[in-house]
Amino acid sequence: MKSLTTILTITLFNLLPLTVVHAQGARKPDQKIAGAGKRTDVYHVHFTKAALGKAAQLGDWLKTPNPNELMPDNFIVLRHQDGDAWVYAVITHLG
């Protein structure tokens, strides 16, 4: 009897999240998402790692703007201080 109670308790706890997911209503086709029209900015994020001894050269190369782009100076270059899987992150605002 004790094992049956344990099995029922575990089963009920496993089924508990399903009622929460089921309780959320689906979005109607004519219903708009709040704030969907406000998110118009697009960013490109690029992570890169430099070869040994070439971090300074890679940083200088990443800092030079591309004259063929619409907004050539609209980017930021970030350098990881502690040395992780990436050394530089370049974030470019596309529009």
Side-chain angles (χ1 to χ4, degrees), residues 10-27:
I10 291 172
T11 305
L12 288 176
F13 277 123
N14 286 333
L15 293 177
L16 186 65
L18 293 178
T19 59
V20 175
V21 173
H22 180 68
Q24 296 174 355
R27 186 176 59 90

Side-chain angles (χ1 to χ4, degrees), residues 14 40 56 61 63 67 79 82 84 92:
N14 286 333
T40 58
W61 181 74
K63 291 177 193 174
R79 183 169 182 180
D82 296 330
D84 200 6
T92 307

Side-chain angles (χ1 to χ4, degrees):
M1 189 67 164
K2 189 174 182 180
S3 64
L4 180 62
T5 307
T6 306
I7 291 172
L8 285 175
T9 305
I10 291 172
T11 305
L12 288 176
F13 277 123
N14 286 333
L15 293 177
L16 186 65
L18 293 178
T19 59
V20 175
V21 173
H22 180 68
Q24 296 174 355
R27 186 176 59 90
K28 296 175 184 160
D30 59 342
Q31 188 180 20
K32 292 185 179 181
I33 299 172
K38 298 177 185 176
R39 299 182 191 132
T40 58
D41 291 332
V42 177
Y43 294 90
H44 178 261
V45 181
H46 174 74
F47 295 97
T48 186
K49 186 171 185 172
L52 290 175
K54 302 290 183 179
Q57 292 174 352
L58 179 62
D60 292 339
W61 181 74
L62 290 172
K63 291 177 193 174
T64 57
N66 186 0
N68 297 331
E69 292 183 5
L70 282 163
M71 299 179 283
D73 294 329
N74 206 4
F75 67 95
I76 185 171
V77 179
L78 304 171
R79 183 169 182 180
H80 199 279
Q81 293 293 322
D82 296 330
D84 200 6
W86 57 275
V87 177
Y88 287 101
V90 181
I91 303 173
T92 307
H93 183 240
L94 298 178

